[in-house]
């Protein structure tokens, strides 16, 4: 008796994300791009420039507004940098999780293949066979979930490079 299973070869699966895309990430270059493209930082710099112009045009006679705007901008840069670092770390963790899920899936496939042969020869019970099938199916689902998590983390990282980044909690 042969049960259908959904395992396909790694080359046949496509998530739209290649290993080269993930490994070619240059954190320092990407961070500089994220800081340059961040609307939150731009907004703080605009407020700082406005405060400076107000002081120069005698609309205000203290530098406190400018200094406060500068501190606010610096805090936003630190916040954006911390958020971007967290996204980068998350991406690396998801890549590691996918590698582990791939290894688990490969082992589960081998175990299931052996169980199929043993079951057809009457060496194991149907319960042992279905346990192996369940383990294999769970490994498949875990691998798919890890692949989706990696793709999500990669896309979030790419959006952060474009300036769309939220503060970490």
């Amino acid at each position: 008796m042969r049960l259908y299973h959904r395992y396909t070869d790694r080359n046949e699966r496509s998530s739209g994300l290649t290993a080269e895309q993930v490994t070619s990430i240059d954190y320092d270059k990407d961070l500089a791009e994220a800081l340059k493209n961040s609307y939150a930082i731009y907004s703080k710099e605009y407020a700082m420039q406005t405060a400076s112009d107000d002081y120069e045009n005698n609309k205000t006679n203290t530098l406190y507004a400018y200094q406060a705007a500068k501190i606010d901008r610096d805090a936003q840069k630190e916040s954006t940098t911390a958020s971007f670092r967290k996204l980068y770390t998350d991406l690396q963790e998801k890549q590691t999780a996918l590698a582990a899920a791939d290894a688990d899936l490969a082992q589960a496939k081998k175990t299931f293949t052996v169980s199929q042969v043993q079951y057809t020869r009457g060496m194991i019970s149907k319960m042992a066979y279905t346990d192996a099938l369940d383990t294999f199916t769970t490994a498949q689902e875990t691998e798919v979930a890890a692949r989706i998590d990696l793709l999500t983390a990669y896309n979030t990282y790419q959006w952060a490079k474009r300036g769309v980044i939220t503060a970490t909690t």
Side-chain angles (χ1 to χ4, degrees), residues 90-106:
D90 188 47
L91 182 63
Q92 298 304 315
E93 289 171 358
K94 301 298 184 194
Q95 186 177 19
T96 302
L98 178 60
D102 280 339
D104 289 346
L105 180 59

Side-chain angles (χ1 to χ4, degrees), residues 105-121:
L105 180 59
Q107 183 59 44
K109 182 179 187 247
K110 289 176 187 175
T111 302
F112 178 67
T113 302
V114 169
S115 294
Q116 279 182 314
V117 171
Q118 289 176 333
Y119 182 68
T120 57
R121 293 182 180 172

Side-chain angles (χ1 to χ4, degrees), residues 6-162:
R6 298 179 310 239
Y7 179 78
T8 57
D9 189 35
R10 183 181 308 183
N11 295 330
E12 294 174 15
R13 283 181 269 141
S14 175
S15 68
L17 180 63
T18 64
E20 292 80 28
Q21 287 174 300
V22 177
T23 57
S24 69
I25 289 175
D26 182 354
Y27 173 77
D28 294 326
K29 184 180 122 211
D30 293 345
L31 176 60
E33 186 177 346
L35 292 173
K36 182 185 82 168
N37 292 333
S38 172
Y39 178 76
I41 293 173
Y42 168 79
S43 174
K44 302 299 182 183
E45 286 177 347
Y46 181 77
M48 191 175 79
Q49 184 62 43
T50 301
S52 175
D53 291 346
D54 287 349
Y55 178 74
E56 290 175 5
N57 295 333
N58 290 325
K59 290 183 182 178
T60 182
N61 56 1
T62 66
L63 281 175
Y64 293 126
Y66 172 76
Q67 291 171 343
K70 185 176 180 184
I71 290 169
D72 200 23
R73 185 222 35 205
D74 292 344
Q76 183 61 51
K77 278 187 177 182
E78 287 181 26
S79 174
T80 301
T81 300
S83 295
F84 195 77
R85 185 179 315 111
K86 184 176 182 333
L87 291 174
Y88 178 75
T89 303
D90 188 47
L91 182 63
Q92 298 304 315
E93 289 171 358
K94 301 298 184 194
Q95 186 177 19
T96 302
L98 178 60
D102 280 339
D104 289 346
L105 180 59
Q107 183 59 44
K109 182 179 187 247
K110 289 176 187 175
T111 302
F112 178 67
T113 302
V114 169
S115 294
Q116 279 182 314
V117 171
Q118 289 176 333
Y119 182 68
T120 57
R121 293 182 180 172
M123 298 170 67
I124 61 172
S125 67
K126 185 170 185 173
M127 180 178 266
Y129 174 76
T130 55
D131 283 346
L133 177 61
D134 287 345
T135 301
F136 178 58
T137 304
T138 300
Q140 286 178 319
E141 291 167 357
T142 302
E143 192 269 344
V144 168
R147 189 168 300 283
I148 291 169
D149 289 346
L150 177 61
L151 181 60
T152 301
Y154 181 79
N155 285 334
T156 303
Y157 182 86
Q158 292 301 315
W159 276 106
K161 279 177 35 181
R162 295 181 186 118

